[in-house]
Amino acid sequence: MEVGLSWFVLTGVYLGLAGSLSAEEVGAAVICGGLGAIWVRQLGRCGDHHLMIRPAALKPLLTALARLPGETLRVGLRLLRAVVRGDVAGEDRAVQPAQAAHCPLNEDGPQTAGTRAVAVLAASLSPDTYVLRLERARGRICVHAILPAEGSA
């Protein structure tokens, strides 16, 4: 069931990104979607811990995708200004788990690992930030940001 759903979703993603709808594209989408679904299933089973992603865990990723166009424009304008003026400097900053898409750091298990993976992906999806490391002992996620934090210069 999960492989079939993954196959369907990945086929749809391929067709959405292809930009055209032809017999060749549909064939390639079905093949690539199937291979991707098999890869996702095997990836979730490798290593010491299994990975299980529940649909509810995808909410931070969907939110990040919805904000992506506006953030891309904002960062693009800021980088353009940096090229002209030379005034942008990135910074490392720690983000608490609740601020970084509700990333569970102090729990283990396949479902928690899946939720954590989606949260890290969602936090890194913005063109402004990417996750540097998870600091489980301190209960925070460290990210690198191009733009300064809200309220700073």
Side-chain angles (χ1 to χ4, degrees), residues 10-20 25:
L10 291 173
T11 299
V13 168
Y14 182 99
L15 289 173
L17 295 174
S20 67
E25 289 294 347

Side-chain angles (χ1 to χ4, degrees), residues 3-4 6 13 15 20 22 28 35 40 61 64 77 80 119-120 128 131 140 151-152:
V3 173
S6 295
V13 168
L15 289 173
S20 67
S22 65
L35 291 174
V40 165
L61 183 59
L77 292 172
L80 181 62
V120 168
D128 177 29
V131 175
R140 65 183 187 180
S152 63

Side-chain angles (χ1 to χ4, degrees), residues 17-139:
L17 295 174
S20 67
L21 190 61
S22 65
E24 293 83 12
E25 289 294 347
V26 171
V30 168
I31 291 170
C32 290
L35 291 174
I38 292 168
W39 181 73
V40 165
R41 180 164 172 81
Q42 293 303 333
L43 183 66
R45 297 182 180 278
C46 69
D48 293 336
H49 303 285
H50 295 298
L51 180 69
M52 181 184 305
I53 300 175
R54 299 279 184 206
L58 296 176
K59 185 178 178 188
L61 183 59
L62 297 175
T63 302
L65 285 171
R67 293 186 350 217
L68 189 59
E71 288 184 6
T72 301
L73 179 63
R74 180 177 59 95
V75 171
L77 292 172
R78 184 68 182 258
L79 292 175
L80 181 62
R81 189 171 88 183
V83 168
V84 174
R85 294 186 193 169
D87 65 347
V88 171
E91 64 181 15
D92 292 346
R93 63 177 175 235
V95 178
Q96 296 303 321
Q99 295 171 325
H102 305 286
C103 181
L105 296 177
N106 296 324
E107 302 171 29
D108 288 319
Q111 188 171 343
T112 305
T115 302
R116 190 170 34 248
V118 170
V120 168
L121 175 62
S124 293
L125 190 61
S126 168
D128 177 29
T129 61
Y130 60 90
V131 175
L132 295 171
R133 65 186 167 277
L134 302 177
E135 293 183 347
R136 294 180 109 176
R138 292 183 172 178

